[in-house]
Amino acid sequence: MNLRSSWVAETGQTREDTRLNQVGATTMINPVQVRSGVLPGSYDGKYRLSGFWMDKASAMTAIVSEGRAVIQGDISQGVYPVALPASAQVTFAAGDAQYGRIDLVVLRIYDNLYDGSTRNEAKVEIVQGVPGQAPKAPAAPPRSLPLYEVTVPAGASGGNGGIPWNTSLKDLRTPVVALGGILPVEGPVLPGAHPGQYQDTANNQLQRWDGGQWVAYPEALGGIVPTSVNATTAGSYTGQYRATAAGPIQRWSGAAWAPAYPGPYFNDSLDGGYTLSTTFVNTLVDRAENPLALSFVAPESRQAILSFGSKTELSLNSGTTGVASSALMCVRITQGATVLREVDDELSAFASKSSSATDAVSVSTTQRLSGLTPGATYTVTAYYRSTNANVRAWFDNSFLQVTPQY
């Protein structure tokens, strides 16, 4: 086997062995030990982890590609760098006649000083599992790095098709990088070793270990997090912005993502109704949708543009003639139970008629709202009245719109 290691053999370590194994990969897990793992990288730069890739060579044989890795021993044993400069093959034993089993492919260090094996070498080898109805992978030996679990079906052999390689391999490789490097995540997400450590996740998000968890790092401070970041990921700081797949920009409030520029807020009713009331009311006869209202959140600017209107028509009660009248639409603005702006004729949109009949007309008005409390929720409710109790004031296609100013 061509797997090379430094500082294992009692004699015979070559200069070539030493050069091949100067990896400098020490992703810490505590002040003394490092994480066992494979050095990242690929020939074309397209993949995070190509070292020790395993694939089919024949029915019961797999080929393990070249790579470099580090294997951490017990706390007093240090870390073993290994290198496989050319691919190697491993051959699996035939399957059990009755049950399947799971084998484990590992990089293993034999060190006579600690294991009494009378061997001092590094090997790519198979740890054979126990067949069973629900087989489990065997435990990894000391001073070894698991690469793959391989499911060997019952009866598998070179003569009957062997191992179904497309479905039998479970990749266990994890990467390591030099101290202070950004770790590309492949496989399980492991805890950090110190606050300020960074990792790059499988969905291309940069994260920082804060001492207790991995926290998403802003793509660029003051910049906009792209849609490629997982939609369930929390923001890194209050005021951070992100793009969404739907388009609108969102802002992190410290607890949740919310529209960065909410609005415009709009509500309407295409259902017509009338009133004979000479005082403002929010319910119209013959209209099913009562009252017409909308709520909005005040922006940081404390200002918003309010628009409202309706198609109006005035009709006399039976037996009534020669009466002039007006139809008025206005709004009441509230914050909770507090009325902040009351209905008023001077703030209304209105249409008038003389004693002669007139057609329906559309009326609207636009006004500025100011002095709002940022983040507070306000409610706008439509009200209507007629100026004559004998004249029906009709309102149809009524609408309310609030456009926050940013």
Side-chain angles (χ1 to χ4, degrees), residues 273-281 283-285 314-318 320 325-326 384-395:
Y274 73 90
T275 184
L276 289 166
S277 174
T278 57
T279 60
F280 280 107
V281 294
T283 300
L284 294 175
V285 180
L314 292 153
S315 63
L316 303 178
N317 274 347
S318 178
T320 303
S325 183
S326 297
Y384 319 87
R385 82 178 187 92
S386 173
T387 57
N388 192 300
N390 290 313
V391 178
R392 294 183 180 186
W394 285 88
F395 299 87

Side-chain angles (χ1 to χ4, degrees), residues 131-150:
Q133 289 183 326
K136 295 182 179 180
R143 291 171 299 283
S144 67
L145 175 64
L147 298 178
Y148 283 87
E149 288 181 5
V150 180

Side-chain angles (χ1 to χ4, degrees), residues 99-163:
Y99 298 115
R101 72 172 191 271
I102 298 176
D103 292 351
L104 190 65
V105 179
V106 300
L107 302 180
R108 185 173 181 179
I109 297 291
Y110 288 91
D111 190 339
N112 181 59
L113 181 64
Y114 301 110
D115 56 28
S117 63
T118 70
R119 303 169 64 180
N120 292 289
E121 61 179 332
K123 300 285 288 183
V124 179
E125 68 179 29
I126 298 169
V127 182
Q128 188 169 307
V130 177
Q133 289 183 326
K136 295 182 179 180
R143 291 171 299 283
S144 67
L145 175 64
L147 298 178
Y148 283 87
E149 288 181 5
V150 180
T151 300
V152 181
S157 69
N160 66 358
I163 296 171

Side-chain angles (χ1 to χ4, degrees), residues 68-93:
R68 295 197 293 175
V70 291
I71 301 172
Q72 173 66 56
D74 290 342
I75 196 165
S76 63
Q77 297 173 5
V79 62
Y80 299 85
V82 298
L84 184 65
S87 60
Q89 290 189 351
V90 289
T91 299
F92 294 81

Side-chain angles (χ1 to χ4, degrees), residues 24-95:
T26 52
T27 299
M28 304 299 294
I29 57 173
N30 59 44
V32 179
Q33 294 175 292
V34 302
R35 182 185 301 181
S36 296
V38 178
L39 273 67
S42 61
Y43 287 110
D44 55 12
K46 293 182 179 180
Y47 305 101
R48 293 171 181 261
L49 199 60
S50 291
F52 301 102
W53 171 263
M54 193 170 79
D55 203 356
K56 172 184 177 180
S58 65
M60 299 298 292
T61 300
I63 187 166
V64 179
S65 65
E66 59 272 24
R68 295 197 293 175
V70 291
I71 301 172
Q72 173 66 56
D74 290 342
I75 196 165
S76 63
Q77 297 173 5
V79 62
Y80 299 85
V82 298
L84 184 65
S87 60
Q89 290 189 351
V90 289
T91 299
F92 294 81

Side-chain angles (χ1 to χ4, degrees), residues 47-404:
Y47 305 101
R48 293 171 181 261
L49 199 60
S50 291
F52 301 102
W53 171 263
M54 193 170 79
D55 203 356
K56 172 184 177 180
S58 65
M60 299 298 292
T61 300
I63 187 166
V64 179
S65 65
E66 59 272 24
R68 295 197 293 175
V70 291
I71 301 172
Q72 173 66 56
D74 290 342
I75 196 165
S76 63
Q77 297 173 5
V79 62
Y80 299 85
V82 298
L84 184 65
S87 60
Q89 290 189 351
V90 289
T91 299
F92 294 81
D96 180 75
Q98 185 175 5
Y99 298 115
R101 72 172 191 271
I102 298 176
D103 292 351
L104 190 65
V105 179
V106 300
L107 302 180
R108 185 173 181 179
I109 297 291
Y110 288 91
D111 190 339
N112 181 59
L113 181 64
Y114 301 110
D115 56 28
S117 63
T118 70
R119 303 169 64 180
N120 292 289
E121 61 179 332
K123 300 285 288 183
V124 179
E125 68 179 29
I126 298 169
V127 182
Q128 188 169 307
V130 177
Q133 289 183 326
K136 295 182 179 180
R143 291 171 299 283
S144 67
L145 175 64
L147 298 178
Y148 283 87
E149 288 181 5
V150 180
T151 300
V152 181
S157 69
N160 66 358
I163 296 171
W165 295 104
N166 289 339
T167 57
S168 288
L169 298 183
K170 180 180 179 181
D171 192 349
L172 303 179
R173 298 170 304 151
T174 56
V176 292
V177 292
L179 182 64
I182 296 176
L183 182 70
V185 176
E186 286 288 327
V189 177
L190 302 176
H194 59 84
Q197 184 179 358
Y198 289 92
Q199 69 175 17
D200 185 52
T201 68
N203 64 351
N204 300 319
Q205 182 188 54
L206 187 64
Q207 294 181 334
R208 179 183 184 275
W209 182 255
D210 70 356
Q213 63 181 343
W214 291 107
V215 177
Y217 195 75
E219 301 296 318
L221 192 61
I224 297 175
V225 179
T227 55
S228 59
V229 175
N230 194 310
T232 62
T233 301
S236 299
Y237 58 90
T238 300
Q240 184 180 12
Y241 291 90
R242 76 171 183 182
T244 65
I249 296 295
Q250 293 183 331
R251 180 181 184 274
W252 180 251
S253 68
W257 290 106
Y261 304 103
Y265 302 86
F266 184 85
N267 195 13
D268 67 344
S269 174
L270 303 181
D271 190 17
Y274 73 90
T275 184
L276 289 166
S277 174
T278 57
T279 60
F280 280 107
V281 294
N282 63 9
T283 300
L284 294 175
V285 180
D286 287 347
R287 176 184 278 180
E289 303 164 355
N290 285 303
L292 177 64
L294 66 76
S295 295
F296 72 94
V297 177
E300 294 294 328
S301 68
R302 301 173 179 266
Q303 298 185 82
I305 301 300
L306 167 68
S307 298
F308 58 89
S310 185
K311 183 174 76 172
T312 63
E313 186 175 1
L314 292 153
S315 63
L316 303 178
N317 274 347
S318 178
T320 303
T321 60
V323 176
S325 183
S326 297
L328 292 85
M329 178 183 179
C330 197
V331 296
R332 174 180 287 167
I333 302 176
T334 57
Q335 184 184 5
T338 304
V339 177
L340 300 180
R341 197 180 90 171
E342 190 55 275
V343 292
D344 190 310
D345 285 358
E346 292 188 359
L347 299 174
S348 300
F350 69 94
S352 299
K353 67 167 285 184
S354 63
S355 57
S356 59
T358 60
D359 295 329
V361 295
S362 293
V363 295
S364 65
T365 183
T366 299
Q367 302 159 10
R368 181 182 296 277
L369 304 179
S370 58
L372 304 172
T373 301
T377 299
Y378 296 84
T379 299
V380 178
T381 305
Y383 280 77
Y384 319 87
R385 82 178 187 92
S386 173
T387 57
N388 192 300
N390 290 313
V391 178
R392 294 183 180 186
W394 285 88
F395 299 87
D396 196 2
N397 298 349
S398 303
F399 77 91
L400 301 171
Q401 179 171 318
V402 175
T403 304

